[in-house]
């Protein structure tokens, strides 16, 4: 690859937009939901689904239900996405965008897989 082509490809790559956001996984049998924020939504479902298939997802209750019920009984949606271009503190931004969703959806206890916030 010549220098000009490489430079053009690098410039195109830098102009690609990436998005952080909030996702929801729903257990369609019992209605329980899992809500989480991630710094990069591109191919996120593939990553989460792979973890669930391999039995390595961090949320043990979601993992258990996935194993018992099978993937066809779960749905995945992006609730919100935000361009990451000007973000300087990703952790803070993620907390800010997921907080209203957690308050609205209350995915705790019988309603969901999330751990309740510490008081």
């Amino acid at each position: 690859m010549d220098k000009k082509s490489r430079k053009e490809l690098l410039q195109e790559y830098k102009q690609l937009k990436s998005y952080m956001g909030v996702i929801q996984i729903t257990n369609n049998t019992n209605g329980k939901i899992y809500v989480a924020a991630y710094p990069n939504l591109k191919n996120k479902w593939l990553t989460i689904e792979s973890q669930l298939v391999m039995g390595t997802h961090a949320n043990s209750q979601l993992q258990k239900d996935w194993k018992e019920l099978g993937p066809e009984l779960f749905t995945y949606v992006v609730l919100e996405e935000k361009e990451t271009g000007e973000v300087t503190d990703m952790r803070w931004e993620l907390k800010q965008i997921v907080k209203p969703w957690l308050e609205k959806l209350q995915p705790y206890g019988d309603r969901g897989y999330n751990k309740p916030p510490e008081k």
Side-chain angles (χ1 to χ4, degrees):
M1 179 181 307
D2 63 22
K3 275 191 169 183
K4 185 177 180 182
S5 298
R6 184 175 177 181
K7 193 172 188 177
E8 289 171 358
L9 286 172
L10 187 60
Q11 192 62 29
E12 285 177 28
Y13 175 76
K14 287 181 179 180
Q15 290 177 359
L16 287 176
K17 294 179 181 175
S18 65
Y19 296 89
M20 64 180 177
V22 181
I23 62 98
Q24 174 180 303
I25 299 171
T26 304
N27 178 330
N28 297 316
T29 30
N30 61 18
K32 288 178 82 170
I33 60 174
Y34 176 70
V35 177
Y38 294 100
N40 188 351
L41 291 179
K42 184 175 177 148
N43 300 322
K44 192 48 147 174
W45 175 239
L46 293 174
T47 303
I48 295 169
E49 188 176 32
S50 295
Q51 291 171 341
L52 289 164
V53 167
M54 292 186 297
T56 60
H57 194 273
N59 187 295
S60 59
Q61 190 60 48
L62 175 60
Q63 181 67 67
K64 178 180 175 280
D65 284 355
W66 178 277
K67 185 177 178 181
E68 289 176 6
L69 301 171
E72 58 281 349
L73 295 176
F74 290 83
T75 52
Y76 169 89
V77 294
V78 174
L79 297 173
E80 181 177 349
E81 64 181 17
K82 182 177 178 181
E83 194 175 325
T84 59
E86 301 298 319
V87 173
T88 55
D89 186 346
M90 184 64 73
R91 292 179 92 184
W92 184 85
E93 288 283 344
L94 290 171
K95 285 179 184 178
Q96 297 311 303
I97 65 170
V98 76
K99 186 177 180 182
W101 288 104
L102 292 172
E103 289 172 358
K104 178 182 178 181
L105 300 172
Q106 294 291 309
Y108 315 113
D110 292 340
R111 297 182 66 180
Y113 297 102
N114 292 71
K115 291 181 182 176
E118 296 178 12
K119 294 182 180 184

